[in-house]
Amino acid sequence: MSSKRDYYEVLGVQRNATADEVRRAYRKLARQFHPDVNPGDHDAEEKFKEINEAQEVLSDPDRKAHYDRFGHQAPGGMGPDAAGGFGDLFNMFFNQGSGFTSDPRQESGRDGKDLRIDLEITLEEAARGVEKTVQISRQEQCDLCRGSGSRPGTSAQKCTACNGVGQVRHVQSTILGSFATVTPCVRCRGEGSTITSPCEKCHGNGRIRQAREKVLKVPPGVDDGMHLQMTGEGDAGMRGGRPGDLYASIHVREHPIFKRRGAELYSELPVSFLQLALGATLNVQTLSGQESLEVPPGTQTGATFRLRGKGMPDVNGRRAPGDLNVITSIKIPTKLNEEQKQALRTYASLCGEDERAGVEQEKGILGKVFDRLK
Ligand SMILES: [Zn+2]
Ligand SMILES: [Zn+2]
């Protein structure tokens, strides 16, 4: 135990050194003897362990007081040896990388955040494509200080708390060992520099919140749940960071007539029994207006008529537009007068139909529905 060097001697500070002086001395030595800087140098590694141990004790008021009273003799098992040595400390260091050897400038810029907005459009707008003006609020670079945050003519000073690194290392001793954690510097918020004379327009922030109008070009064929991305239209970056993007989530409103699946559209065409039985020319609604549709005699309910190219366009413009599928659906009259009822009964007896027997069962709508589900 007595072969150990005095902790104050190890760090090269006076016994009455302040916490700040201890920290500065430690940092200087740690940078000098860090294993990353001295690969394979056993002496440097020993020295590094030694200064870490000294710093750990002297930076902790309780342990420092203890050390000042008892020296390396540590009644109560509070010494660093009892805390499990430094193997854990080293592992932590190498896993996290070292704050000492990295280039502080790489971490000084912060990228701007992406912005997300919701954009509701109608099915007609989705089919044709549309331009929408939206209001956004975003962080933009301050034009007075050009994002530096410093009053024009002045510049930011290197942070004294982290010495411009932007990170601070904390060593914590537990009964499981010593752990080193690297956290962003609180003083400079990880930027490595502090603004001594803030820009009057942005108050040192470097950015200002601005309301903007943006015109979004929604392409034809866009579908619910798709996103439009406008590169670089999000928040501005800080201190040279890149701007974020603007994302618009597309929501296509439910249409009263049309259902959509990809490029295909579906609609229901209510028809009477007579129109199906005798055939008819009917008007059907499409996204671009009315079209006439020939329903041949003897058409079943649930029959599908395909209107080629009357569906949705392909959003990439590579495939032909989809079709509009018009599905017939028989409407049974709910109010019949006596004369109409009599006519239907006459019709039934002409067909040899017994009112109480069902029509011969076959694979009708139900079968088709299940076929589609297969
Ligand atoms: Zn400014
Ligand atoms: Zn700092």
Side-chain angles (χ1 to χ4, degrees):
M1 283 283 191
S2 55
S3 65
K4 260 188 176 170
R5 279 173 73 205
D6 176 63
Y7 285 150
Y8 292 95
E9 197 189 312
V10 167
L11 294 182
V13 294
Q14 302 288 317
R15 289 195 85 83
N16 58 2
T18 63
D20 219 11
E21 285 171 322
V22 168
R23 195 159 41 226
R24 260 204 303 274
Y26 162 73
R27 201 170 306 279
K28 191 164 161 241
L29 291 167
R31 228 174 298 169
Q32 190 181 340
F33 294 105
H34 194 280
D36 282 0
V37 192
N38 307 282
D41 184 341
H42 187 70
D43 284 347
E45 196 181 311
E46 283 307 311
K47 189 101 178 156
F48 187 63
K49 281 186 194 179
E50 198 181 32
I51 58 182
N52 269 298
E53 187 181 315
Q55 188 272 160
E56 218 190 318
V57 173
L58 297 186
S59 65
D60 180 335
D62 286 345
R63 295 179 63 188
K64 179 176 183 294
H66 200 268
Y67 177 73
D68 288 344
R69 270 185 81 192
F70 300 106
H72 287 302
Q73 310 297 326
M78 283 293 286
D81 290 333
F86 286 94
D88 297 314
L89 171 72
F90 268 75
N91 287 337
M92 294 298 284
F93 243 105
F94 293 129
N95 288 340
Q96 295 187 349
S98 146
F100 299 114
T101 50
S102 65
D103 180 356
R105 271 171 306 177
Q106 283 180 342
E107 278 138 32
S108 64
R110 226 183 302 156
D111 290 348
K113 282 202 186 105
D114 293 335
L115 296 181
R116 281 159 216 286
I117 56 165
D118 292 299
L119 186 64
E120 192 176 86
I121 57 173
T122 64
L123 188 65
E124 285 85 353
E125 289 172 332
R128 284 193 304 268
V130 67
E131 286 192 359
K132 288 275 180 184
T133 304
V134 294
Q135 316 286 331
I136 60 167
S137 163
R138 69 179 179 192
Q139 297 281 1
E140 293 189 357
Q141 194 183 75
C142 172
D143 55 347
L144 186 61
C145 63
R146 294 187 184 175
S148 75
S150 291
R151 187 189 297 265
T154 70
S155 57
Q157 302 291 310
K158 191 196 255 189
C159 174
T160 48
C162 63
N163 205 13
V165 172
Q167 295 177 333
V168 178
R169 217 179 120 263
H170 305 271
V171 180
Q172 199 188 357
S173 275
T174 71
I175 47 167
L176 296 174
S178 302
F179 298 94
T181 50
V182 177
T183 56
C185 174
V186 179
R187 176 97 161 266
C188 63
R189 291 196 217 121
E191 282 169 26
S193 59
T194 50
I195 287 155
T196 47
S197 178
C199 164
E200 58 206 64
K201 193 168 178 186
C202 63
H203 308 290
N205 197 337
R207 301 188 301 180
I208 297 178
R209 185 160 285 283
Q210 292 275 10
R212 292 277 174 204
E213 282 195 344
K214 284 281 149 194
V215 178
L216 295 177
K217 284 196 169 76
V218 182
V222 72
D223 206 347
D224 195 66
M226 286 182 174
H227 299 273
L228 296 182
Q229 183 181 5
M230 291 176 87
T231 308
E233 295 288 353
D235 279 348
M238 284 180 84
R239 320 275 187 258
R242 285 170 306 167
D245 299 334
L246 172 63
Y247 289 92
S249 299
I250 302 293
H251 303 279
V252 181
R253 224 173 286 157
E254 281 270 315
H255 196 278
I257 295 174
F258 304 108
K259 293 265 177 280
R260 175 181 186 180
R261 184 181 283 176
E264 296 289 291
L265 287 180
Y266 299 85
S267 71
E268 191 181 308
L269 180 65
V271 284
S272 73
F273 163 75
L274 292 173
Q275 287 167 329
L276 289 180
L278 303 174
T281 303
L282 300 171
N283 282 333
V284 294
Q285 193 74 38
T286 72
L287 275 177
S288 52
Q290 296 223 326
E291 299 247 331
S292 73
L293 176 69
E294 288 293 326
V295 176
T299 297
Q300 299 299 314
T301 184
T304 301
F305 294 92
R306 213 173 248 275
L307 277 68
R308 295 252 172 237
K310 295 290 177 185
M312 299 296 285
D314 178 37
V315 73
N316 298 311
R318 284 198 285 266
R319 270 176 289 170
D323 301 332
L324 169 60
N325 300 271
V326 179
I327 303 163
T328 58
S329 162
I330 195 166
K331 291 291 166 237
I332 304 296
T334 50
K335 279 184 185 145
L336 290 172
N337 60 31
E338 211 31 63
E339 203 177 343
Q340 288 166 327
K341 283 180 188 167
Q342 198 49 54
L344 286 176
R345 285 196 194 99
T346 308
Y347 167 77
S349 69
L350 284 172
C351 297
E353 231 177 71
D354 182 339
E355 276 177 55
R356 275 159 298 179
V359 186
E360 193 187 335
Q361 287 189 313
E362 54 180 298
K363 191 176 183 178
I365 294 177
L366 202 57
K368 284 177 192 156
V369 167
F370 277 84
D371 282 349
R372 221 173 287 162
L373 290 176
K374 270 179 209 163

